[in-house]
Amino acid sequence: MLDSRTNRPEPLPDGAGVGYKPQHFSNILEAPAAVSWLEIHAENYMGSGGRPLAQLRHLAERFPISVHGVGLSIGGEAPLDQDHLSRLKHLIGWLNPASFSEHLAWSTHDSHFLNDLLPLPYTQATLARVCAHIDQVQQVLGREMLLENPSTYLAFAETEMEETEFLAEIARRTGCGLLLDVNNVFVSTTNQQTDPHAYIAAFPMARVGEIHLGGHDMQTDAHGAPLLIDSHGREVVDPVWALYAETLARAGRRPTLIEWDNDVPGWPVLEAEAARAAALLAEVPA
Amino acid sequence: MRQPGFTEALLDPARAVPAGLTDPQGRPAGKRFDVYRNNVAASLTAALETAFPVLRALLGAEFFRRMAGIYLRQHPPTLPLLMFYGAEMPAFLAHFPPVQDLGYLPDVARLELALRHSYHAADAAPVDPAALEAIAPERLMRARLRLAPALRLVRSDWPVVTLWQMHQPGGGAPPEMRAEDALLTRPGFDPAISPLPPGGAAFLLALQRGETFGAALGHAEAESHNFDLGAVLGLLLKGEAIIAIDHEDNR
């Protein structure tokens, strides 16, 4: 999927994609029209060979691919892991994907990788550090990246800025794009007891290169307040679909991904979720 | 916030929730911090369950889950590549008091780690079996065989291959207590495990060190008087594990 004049990949299409799971390989190739692009987790394709890379090469001939990193720890207090950045550069180099995205979060401390997207206080110090890391990533990869808004479960007493303001400032300083996860907006605003509609209204939509939709679980905190968990293990709920429609009305059409990482269903369930996103996208004037 | 303190509290449920973390009303975060604790423990436990299915079957799901909770706190991943998580499991099992009398467990863990590494190893085209057969014996003795990157060898004082096969679909009989060496090859994309005949491991280790075919045969025969060369070559060819034959005259 290269632009023949520039050898740069074409951007993701403004259609519906899914997070690729190996168990769906045959389903996807049998009926490729069901989705218009695929997203992979970068870290699952950092082996030296074998089936994962063979499948990815095969899929990349037929679909635009988005590479979504989950291990770079862009919000980490320590310098970025050079070895991991090199692995990422290698993957991006040979695959030349349509998009690369990572998270506003940290996951590694003192060479311990904690395998979760951990929260950050929104302060000037965090802002400077995150921007320096994004500058470094964009320089090493030689391309712009997208940064995703997190799901959060708690707040920091030291936070000085709204998350939307924080993300807008990162995009302004680094030139990076943003990945707007609408389920994360719903989860975080519920957990922080703020207004999801105000969050969407304040989000810098011009910077949004991709939208994520996924499922969450419901719990309560010690005081009985709702506490939503970003589990990626079920269907997108109706209030999130409504918030997505509201987002599209403000942003226009954007490439939209269905994320389902745990208790992964059979292909028809995932395909139906993608079709629902595609139907909402089709209602937006081009 | 300081990430070192956050990390320590994440991995140790007995530690207090770090100061400065709150709920929306400014009260201490309490249970909200446990969401992160749980995400870390549950996701790393799931990664270990994926990596060690036979170990889990041998120990029982509940025991394995509790043991994984201890392992992940002693040995959090050191890389963001979860497909290789669990490298310390053999050493951990060797020193984990509740399983001290199950001496075969570390070798089962080594075998399952080797399977993972074989699965993700670099691709390499195998030689044509006919090309190997066509080489005159005296020339073959001076040649060096290059083995596929996906080939792995696990030597064990325990019946590690039979134990592994018992817990595959279709099962298998409980093993006699004897030593087994496992050969992992990867024909296509799916690793296959075979027991090596006596002397086979010495033969392959010599080939891996770059010794000639003849020298490797010498090592094998020193270890086993009736070394079955044909059987080992058969496993290597079927496993697409020989990727080049280097002759002395064109090195």
Side-chain angles (χ1 to χ4, degrees):
Chain A
M1 303 286 172
L2 291 179
D3 182 318
S4 57
R5 290 157 301 172
T6 61
N7 204 39
R8 295 288 299 172
E10 291 177 12
L12 291 174
D14 289 335
V18 296
Y20 171 64
K21 299 293 164 200
Q23 55 265 49
H24 298 142
F25 182 70
S26 304
N27 303 99
I28 290 170
L29 289 176
E30 279 160 21
V35 288
S36 51
W37 56 282
L38 298 170
E39 186 159 283
I40 59 154
H41 284 178
E43 284 72 15
N44 292 342
Y45 296 88
M46 289 181 174
S48 304
R51 181 177 283 116
L53 296 187
Q55 286 192 341
L56 178 56
R57 280 192 295 270
H58 202 69
L59 292 167
E61 287 170 10
R62 288 155 184 81
F63 292 95
I65 304 287
S66 160
V67 172
H68 191 51
V70 295
L72 203 50
S73 200
I74 279 178
E77 285 170 359
L80 293 179
D81 177 347
Q82 291 293 332
D83 291 341
H84 198 59
L85 203 46
S86 297
R87 285 189 285 266
L88 197 57
K89 183 180 167 65
H90 176 71
L91 174 64
I92 299 287
W94 73 258
L95 185 60
N96 200 13
S99 173
F100 170 67
S101 52
E102 253 282 359
H103 299 84
L104 177 60
W106 63 283
S107 53
T108 297
H109 170 70
D110 194 19
S111 83
H112 289 161
F113 173 66
L114 299 159
N115 198 37
D116 194 26
L117 299 166
L118 299 163
L120 292 163
Y122 300 139
T123 63
Q124 290 299 328
T126 311
L127 182 63
R129 190 174 74 233
V130 168
C131 287
H133 286 168
I134 291 175
D135 286 342
Q136 189 186 355
V137 172
Q138 294 187 140
Q139 192 184 1
V140 169
L141 299 183
R143 59 158 70 205
E144 275 178 23
M145 59 167 285
L146 305 179
L147 188 69
E148 178 176 346
N149 60 300
S151 276
T152 58
Y153 307 109
L154 48 71
F156 289 87
E158 62 190 294
T159 275
E160 304 158 355
M161 300 166 77
E162 295 294 331
E163 186 171 286
T164 46
E165 185 189 353
F166 193 80
L167 284 162
E169 185 59 17
I170 291 170
R172 193 188 67 75
R173 289 191 193 180
T174 67
C176 77
L178 298 173
L179 193 171
L180 176 55
D181 186 317
V182 176
N183 180 60
N184 287 357
V185 172
F186 189 76
V187 166
S188 293
T189 54
T190 302
N191 292 345
Q192 307 290 351
Q193 297 168 13
T194 56
D195 180 2
H197 310 287
Y199 188 106
I200 294 296
F203 205 84
M205 291 298 173
R207 295 286 193 172
V208 174
E210 181 181 340
I211 292 174
H212 274 183
L213 298 171
H216 59 255
D217 290 341
M218 281 179 259
Q219 297 183 8
T220 51
D221 76 358
H223 304 282
L227 184 60
L228 303 184
I229 313 293
D230 180 33
S231 60
H232 293 183
R234 55 200 301 171
E235 278 98 348
V236 179
V237 297
D238 285 342
V240 171
W241 284 115
L243 202 57
Y244 172 57
E246 199 176 309
T247 302
L248 291 181
R250 288 182 174 275
R253 287 186 192 171
R254 289 290 191 279
T256 301
L257 183 89
I258 304 295
E259 281 189 301
W260 200 319
D261 296 319
N262 296 302
D263 300 324
V264 176
W267 179 246
V269 176
L270 204 55
E271 192 184 358
E273 291 280 277
R276 190 165 172 185
L280 286 167
L281 280 166
E283 289 173 14
V284 181
Chain B
M1 183 195 47
R2 291 289 172 269
Q3 288 171 2
F6 198 105
T7 303
E8 283 171 13
L10 266 184
L11 289 172
D12 184 356
R15 280 181 192 256
V17 174
L21 306 179
T22 72
D23 78 354
Q25 262 77 51
R27 296 173 293 203
K31 182 181 169 184
R32 290 167 174 261
F33 187 76
D34 292 342
V35 175
Y36 295 104
R37 277 178 168 148
N38 183 57
N39 284 350
V40 170
S43 71
L44 295 180
T45 298
L48 292 169
E49 287 170 347
T50 304
F52 299 106
V54 171
L55 205 54
R56 183 168 178 247
L58 286 166
L59 291 170
E62 179 58 22
F63 184 92
F64 186 90
R65 195 183 59 77
R66 287 165 180 269
M67 188 184 78
I70 297 167
Y71 178 87
L72 70 91
R73 289 173 174 91
Q74 285 182 16
H75 303 284
T78 53
L79 283 179
L81 307 186
L82 283 190
M83 58 202 179
F84 299 133
Y85 182 43
E88 312 300 326
M89 187 60 86
F92 174 87
L93 288 164
H95 299 102
F96 188 51
V99 298
Q100 283 293 280
D101 51 342
L102 305 178
Y104 52 86
L105 292 178
D107 286 357
V108 172
R110 284 168 58 217
L111 184 63
E112 296 205 283
L113 288 169
L115 264 176
R116 275 279 171 110
H117 282 273
S118 177
Y119 184 76
H120 291 287
D123 305 315
V127 299
D128 182 351
L132 184 66
E133 285 154 20
I135 301 170
E138 60 278 14
R139 193 155 183 257
L140 180 61
M141 288 300 153
R142 293 193 304 272
R144 290 174 168 81
L145 303 191
R146 267 189 275 155
L147 302 174
L151 181 140
R152 293 289 185 282
L153 195 58
V154 177
R155 305 203 73 175
S156 178
D157 292 331
W158 304 90
V160 69
V161 179
T162 313
L163 278 166
W164 185 84
Q165 285 166 342
M166 265 178 73
H167 293 282
Q168 300 311 305
E176 295 168 42
M177 280 300 156
R178 54 152 198 256
E180 280 181 348
D181 295 329
L183 172 67
L184 283 75
T185 57
R186 197 185 81 195
F189 293 132
D190 294 304
I193 296 183
S194 315
L196 275 170
F203 180 71
L204 292 172
L205 286 169
L207 291 182
Q208 283 182 328
R209 289 193 298 267
E211 297 192 34
T212 63
F213 193 98
L217 191 57
H219 288 294
E221 287 172 340
E223 202 170 281
S224 168
H225 291 307
N226 38 23
F227 172 60
D228 190 345
L229 175 63
V232 173
L233 287 180
L235 288 172
L236 293 177
L237 290 172
K238 188 171 162 232
E240 301 182 358
I242 303 172
I243 60 167
I245 304 164
D246 296 332
H247 293 289
E248 211 167 13
D249 37 15
N250 53 20
R251 288 181 88 222

